[in-house]
Amino acid sequence: MRLGHEQVLDAPLDAVWTHFMDLHRIGRCFPGAKVTQVHGDDFVGEIRAKLGPLSLYFDGTGSMTERDADAGRARLAATGQERHGLGKATIDITLKLHPLGDGNRTRAQLATDLVFLGFPMDFGTGLVQRASDPLIDRFLTCMSVPGRGHDEAMEADDDGLDLVRSATDLLGSFRRERRERKRR
């Protein structure tokens, strides 16, 4: 499935680019993820996702396959295997950064190709897109702030990517939209 996200970040392009080139920081900023080893453009990591009382662990490897600072474009590819099951996932993320206005803000665009095999949930692309929006917003915001990229807001995610919480957030957004439509 193909997902797209876009967000304006309150940071200059050079700072955001530097943060995205730090593979450890990417792991610290993404909810439930951890990069455990980096060798040049290659990395080893894990993602923990919670599905109610169940925890799913994926171990994987990946690589920064493209870095073009002049074009503000980077590409990351990774594959993962569920530790205690048959699930597999592959992901290919393309990042495009564009400076805005006076150069103190940056538009970040992420295009994600995601494939799950044997994963315990089968969601439609539209549902996955909407459920991933708040996660990617938090990730991109973390990637734009100075420092190590693991502030108090991110510490809540140390327990893993909570899929039930994400689904609950998604259902809440559906209810808000329905109420707003009724008001019109």
Side-chain angles (χ1 to χ4, degrees):
M1 83 184 59
R2 186 160 180 86
L3 305 172
H5 296 90
E6 185 173 314
Q7 186 172 335
V8 174
L9 307 173
D10 290 325
L13 186 139
D14 290 342
V16 176
W17 178 261
T18 299
H19 296 165
F20 269 101
M21 295 304 105
D22 180 349
L23 294 172
H24 282 290
R25 183 182 178 110
I26 289 172
R28 285 190 305 270
C29 283
F30 195 82
K34 183 188 327 181
V35 171
T36 56
Q37 297 175 30
V38 174
H39 302 286
D41 284 341
D42 299 324
F43 64 92
V44 176
E46 59 189 52
I47 290 184
R48 178 176 174 214
K50 291 171 47 176
L51 181 59
L54 302 174
S55 290
L56 303 171
Y57 296 88
F58 283 84
D59 295 313
T61 60
S63 182
M64 184 75 70
T65 60
E66 179 183 343
R67 293 177 190 240
D68 184 346
D70 293 335
R73 180 181 161 93
R75 194 166 178 190
L76 184 108
T79 60
Q81 175 77 37
E82 189 181 357
R83 274 187 205 164
H84 305 292
L86 301 175
K88 289 185 177 184
T90 61
I91 190 167
D92 190 320
I93 301 169
T94 302
L95 166 73
K96 292 181 185 175
L97 299 175
H98 307 279
L100 293 177
D102 61 0
N104 289 322
R105 295 173 25 145
T106 304
R107 180 181 316 280
Q109 297 171 303
L110 289 179
T112 305
D113 289 309
L114 181 63
V115 177
F116 287 118
L117 301 172
F119 199 66
M121 296 176 290
D122 186 18
F123 291 129
T125 302
L127 184 60
V128 172
Q129 174 71 51
R130 297 215 33 195
S132 67
D133 287 345
L135 298 171
I136 298 301
D137 287 348
R138 288 194 335 243
F139 169 69
L140 289 172
T141 299
C142 179
M143 293 300 289
S144 69
V145 297
R148 296 185 59 230
H150 195 277
D151 58 13
E152 291 176 16
M154 297 309 294
E155 287 181 19
D157 294 318
D158 285 346
D159 291 333
L161 174 58
D162 191 335
L163 299 173
V164 171
R165 185 177 77 191
S166 297
T168 302
D169 292 346
L170 176 62
L171 290 174
S173 73
F174 284 140
R175 289 183 187 132
R176 279 190 302 277
E177 286 179 14
R178 195 169 68 191
R179 282 192 306 262
E180 289 172 7
R181 277 185 285 205
K182 285 182 180 179
R183 289 180 197 158
R184 292 180 199 162

